[in-house]
Amino acid sequence: MLRLFKRHTKRDVTLLDGIWRFCTDPHRRGMDEEWFKVFPKESRDMVVPSCWNNTLGLYDYEGLAWYATTFEMKTNAAHIKFHGVTGLAKVYVDGTLIGEHYGGFIDFGFTVQAEIAEHTLVVAVDNTHDTINTIPLARVDWFHYGGIIRSVELIHIHDAWISNCNIGYVLDKNLQNVTLKIQATIEAPKKILHNQTVQVYIDNQLICRKTVDLQEHTTITFDNVEQRNIQLWDVDNPKLYYIRIETDTDDIIERIGFRDIKTKDRKILLNNKELFLKGINRHEEHPDWGFAVPFHLMKKDMDIIKMVGCNAIRGSHYPNSEIFLDLCDQEGILFWEEIPMWGFPEEALSNPLVINRGLTMLKEMVLRDFHHPSVIIWGMHNEVASHTNAGVNITKVFSEKIRSLDSSRLLTHASNHPFDDLCYKFGDIVCINQYIGWYDGELSEWPEFLAKLKEKLAKDNLSDMPIVISEFGAGGIYGDCTFESPKWTENYQAKYLAETLRTFLEDEDICGTYIWQFCDIRTAKELALNRPRSFNNKGIVNEYRKPKIAYWTVKEIYENALQIRHKKISPTA
């Protein structure tokens, strides 16, 4: 199950999920021994999609591994699409390299022309991480699961196929009518195709068409497509429209929602209404599944998050599955999406390879998820050295890239350098990660911290920017509940979140809160000895989604957030 709605009515697609052959390569012999031509006999079975670390005997394995399967060509051209492979992937068909891709959480693919017959497909997957130029770096607060973590598709090309589409829109000032610009990129790998019809439908109603000659690579544009009296997508009414682009032999369906998101006078406005983000940070991870989270678990996560009273999720710290974003679209949950740049020091931020890889990842993220109305924030990076010249340089380049691709959403980075950050000016929201009362300081110091932050923003002429507390929280070991409530108990975690949420809600300059975090997660080996159980234990539910005391504390506060914010009731009532 790749998406929550039907993507095609004409396209001929074969899913390559299932049992593949698999072999680890800790000594990196595979390239020299040409495993892409002759796969090792000592290989084992591996499920695709999955993470190899959830297979017996591979709990800690990080490095190079190989996958192999066969597929049938039904036509002389096909596109092999991978929806997620962690790290560097090199793809071979019949022993020949057809392409490679870097980055673990976004789809990529390659077109193959070959005989109508059975062919071999081999993928070398390398999830090795270092301290200078991989994204993410080795030292992160989540685990480096390896593998083909999401589905693999074989798209059979009959003459031509729609390889990409982009549906942009502009709402009028009353937010009642919309003007669309629809672009479709069509590939015809065999020959020039004359007099081909390209049509566009909205909710099965034909709205425009063109007759064109298709070259090997053709971009079709429909400008100034007007739709009147539309319904807006909103958290309370997540209205969605289906747009189908169709050629003679292929089609693609996108699902979009029309909405306006902006900032004004220190506020975040959704469809011109003030918005308070009642958010939580969520890793798409589970100890039995790693990153290859099945949809039924995603749905359970969504139900748990909605029940606690959230209206927003931050996809920490990497692009989530498209199907989870589909769920956010349907449920009216606002989403913050970012790439896995976590904790980069100045030296790494100056590395040209990091800059280029980051730009590519941002572009891929924006293009893949451009049509999801739930995505309202693009995140450039998290807790990097944004107080340095290298931080300024990379953030400037990143912000310019994202805004060139999409000017309709808010832009930010999550900073842990609140008083000396140099990069706030490149975004639309000031987002702060702080753990006062947990790692250092006392809970009572939060008001002083917020006052000092506002002074900093005023000094930098940034007082009009909304402030969001993007991370705050405390660890709580599930089941550890005492009378004294020391740190690491469920009691202290609940107390921490109650006091911080009260402080933030009562501050009219704070426009949102993202609790760290939804569920406990396994951490990388570089941090494992600093974390009890080798887990980040700040979840309000544990790794198996069992609620801690803090869950019910947050639920009471978030459900009454607006009343607390306007001081109509006590936060602890």
Side-chain angles (χ1 to χ4, degrees):
M1 188 176 187
L2 298 179
R3 302 295 296 273
L4 287 187
F5 60 97
K6 190 175 182 179
R7 296 297 314 284
H8 313 284
T9 59
K10 290 184 174 182
R11 179 170 294 181
D12 189 358
V13 179
T14 300
L15 204 59
L16 299 183
D17 295 359
I19 301 293
W20 292 37
R21 301 302 294 166
F22 174 85
C23 190
T24 59
D25 189 7
H27 304 295
R28 298 183 175 271
R29 297 160 34 213
M31 290 296 177
D32 291 337
E33 297 178 4
E34 297 187 331
W35 290 1
F36 47 87
K37 291 182 179 179
V38 180
F39 209 71
K41 293 181 180 179
E42 63 270 23
S43 61
R44 63 194 289 182
D45 286 346
M46 180 65 67
V47 174
V48 171
S50 72
C51 298
W52 66 57
N53 305 96
N54 299 110
T55 301
L56 292 177
L58 297 174
Y59 184 77
D60 287 316
Y61 185 73
E62 180 179 333
L64 179 61
W66 296 75
Y67 290 78
T69 191
T70 60
F71 65 93
E72 293 279 348
M73 292 281 287
K74 295 168 63 175
T75 62
N76 289 119
H79 188 81
I80 304 172
K81 185 174 183 179
F82 297 83
H83 286 265
V85 180
T86 49
L88 175 63
K90 294 186 176 182
V91 182
Y92 302 82
V93 171
D94 297 336
T96 299
L97 179 68
I98 62 168
E100 61 181 68
H101 179 266
Y102 183 83
F105 303 95
I106 289 290
D107 60 272
F108 63 93
F110 309 104
T111 299
V112 179
Q113 296 190 55
E115 295 180 356
I116 299 175
E118 183 177 85
H119 299 270
T120 62
L121 173 62
V122 174
V123 186
V125 180
D126 192 351
N127 78 324
T128 304
H129 297 82
D130 61 31
T131 60
I132 188 63
N133 61 30
T134 60
I135 303 178
L137 296 175
R139 187 183 183 277
V140 293
D141 205 359
W142 68 89
F143 190 74
H144 295 300
Y145 291 100
I148 301 176
I149 65 169
R150 295 174 187 159
S151 290
V152 184
E153 288 182 290
L154 181 66
I155 300 169
H156 305 283
I157 300 173
H158 299 270
D159 295 330
W161 72 295
I162 303 166
S163 61
N164 188 44
C165 69
N166 181 276
I167 304 164
Y169 64 87
V170 176
L171 287 158
D172 67 11
K173 63 179 181 180
N174 296 318
L175 306 184
Q176 294 177 343
N177 307 307
V178 66
T179 302
L180 297 100
K181 180 180 180 179
I182 302 168
Q183 288 186 315
T185 300
I186 303 173
E187 311 282 349
K190 297 179 182 179
K191 58 184 178 181
I192 297 175
L193 301 173
H194 296 287
N195 299 320
Q196 299 293 298
T197 302
V198 182
Q199 303 181 125
V200 180
Y201 298 80
I202 294 183
D203 289 349
N204 291 321
Q205 296 295 315
L206 179 66
I207 59 169
C208 50
R209 72 195 314 168
K210 285 185 178 181
T211 300
V212 297
D213 293 338
L214 296 179
Q215 312 290 327
E216 183 176 354
H217 181 94
T218 306
T219 298
I220 312 295
T221 302
F222 297 89
D223 279 316
N224 300 316
V225 180
E226 295 186 356
Q227 293 291 296
R228 303 186 64 81
N229 300 317
I230 53 94
Q231 293 185 52
L232 294 174
W233 184 96
D234 210 330
V235 290
D236 298 320
N237 180 36
K239 170 63 179 177
L240 295 166
Y241 290 85
Y242 294 83
I243 298 182
R244 185 171 89 252
I245 303 171
E246 180 183 80
T247 70
D248 292 348
T249 59
D250 192 32
D251 69 344
I252 188 167
I253 300 170
E254 291 290 350
R255 195 174 66 169
I256 69 172
F258 302 117
R259 52 103 185 94
D260 179 70
I261 185 75
K262 62 189 174 187
T263 65
K264 184 179 180 181
D265 299 330
R266 295 180 294 174
K267 305 298 182 186
I268 300 173
L269 304 179
L270 176 63
N271 300 332
N272 291 332
K273 295 179 291 185
E274 183 178 344
L275 178 67
F276 187 88
L277 297 169
K278 298 183 293 179
I280 198 160
N281 288 271
R282 172 187 176 268
H283 271 277
E284 193 160 276
E285 192 258 22
H286 186 276
D288 292 332
W289 301 96
F291 293 139
V293 174
F295 177 66
H296 68 84
L297 180 57
M298 295 183 195
K299 178 63 168 65
K300 181 176 182 179
D301 283 0
M302 178 63 76
D303 291 343
I304 294 170
I305 288 170
K306 289 192 70 175
M307 189 167 72
V308 85
C310 290
N311 64 7
I313 295 171
R314 179 180 175 209
S316 48
H317 293 288
Y318 39 78
N320 282 197
S321 303
E322 287 181 276
I323 196 170
F324 187 75
L325 298 183
D326 287 342
L327 196 56
C328 291
D329 293 341
Q330 291 184 188
E331 299 287 341
I333 296 294
L334 305 165
F335 198 81
W336 165 347
E337 189 167 26
E338 61 193 28
I339 63 172
M341 284 195 66
W342 186 96
F344 275 66
E346 184 174 11
E347 182 184 6
L349 293 175
S350 302
N351 190 310
L353 183 57
V354 166
I355 296 171
N356 289 332
R357 283 176 165 174
L359 285 169
T360 299
M361 287 182 173
L362 289 168
K363 178 181 178 180
E364 290 176 335
M365 175 181 72
V366 172
L367 293 181
R368 189 197 75 168
D369 294 331
F370 183 79
H371 298 126
H372 289 282
S374 58
V375 178
I376 61 165
I377 298 172
W378 296 126
M380 293 179 282
H381 44 64
N382 177 76
E383 296 186 5
V384 307
S386 52
H387 60 311
T388 67
N389 288 334
V392 171
N393 293 337
I394 197 171
T395 306
K396 181 177 185 294
V397 172
F398 280 10
S399 65
E400 290 171 350
K401 183 65 174 179
I402 293 176
R403 293 193 192 281
S404 72
L405 296 168
D406 179 19
S407 60
S408 69
R409 290 175 169 87
L410 305 180
L411 186 61
T412 194
H413 70 282
S415 175
N416 63 339
H417 302 283
F419 306 130
D420 53 2
D421 193 294
L422 301 173
C423 299
Y424 295 140
K425 61 186 177 182
F426 297 115
D428 302 300
I429 317 169
V430 173
C431 292
I432 302 297
N433 294 358
Q434 281 291 298
Y435 293 86
I436 299 169
W438 178 248
Y439 291 119
D440 52 46
E442 302 295 331
L443 277 168
S444 59
E445 297 173 16
W446 270 106
E448 180 183 353
F449 167 84
L450 294 174
K452 188 177 177 182
L453 175 65
K454 294 174 193 177
E455 290 176 6
K456 147 69 175 181
L457 296 177
K459 182 179 178 182
D460 293 346
N461 295 316
L462 299 174
S463 292
D464 285 343
M465 293 184 70
I467 301 172
V468 168
I469 309 301
S470 43
E471 286 186 29
F472 63 101
I477 305 298
Y478 179 76
D480 188 0
C481 185
T482 71
F483 291 106
E484 292 78 14
S485 302
K487 288 184 178 181
W488 294 114
T489 62
E490 287 193 41
N491 317 57
Y492 183 83
Q493 183 190 34
K495 174 187 175 183
Y496 181 99
L497 291 175
E499 292 197 21
T500 51
L501 282 173
R502 177 188 63 208
T503 299
F504 303 147
L505 283 166
E506 291 185 340
D507 189 324
E508 63 182 15
D509 294 321
I510 304 300
C511 296
T513 54
Y514 286 84
I515 295 166
W516 189 268
Q517 61 181 334
F518 169 60
C519 66
D520 295 345
I521 60 165
R522 185 181 174 189
T523 195
K525 60 184 179 183
E526 288 78 8
L527 279 181
L529 291 179
N530 297 325
R531 297 280 191 249
R533 308 186 304 130
S534 298
F535 275 67
N536 185 311
N537 297 281
K538 296 186 183 72
I540 60 172
V541 301
N542 77 354
E543 63 269 28
Y544 293 105
R545 282 51 176 174
K546 294 183 178 180
K548 303 177 189 178
I549 295 173
Y551 180 88
W552 307 110
T553 300
V554 172
K555 177 178 170 62
E556 180 183 7
I557 294 173
Y558 267 173
E559 286 181 342
N560 295 287
L562 292 181
Q563 292 93 326
I564 296 170
R565 189 162 176 78
H566 298 299
K567 301 179 177 61
K568 292 183 178 180
I569 64 171
S570 166
T572 56

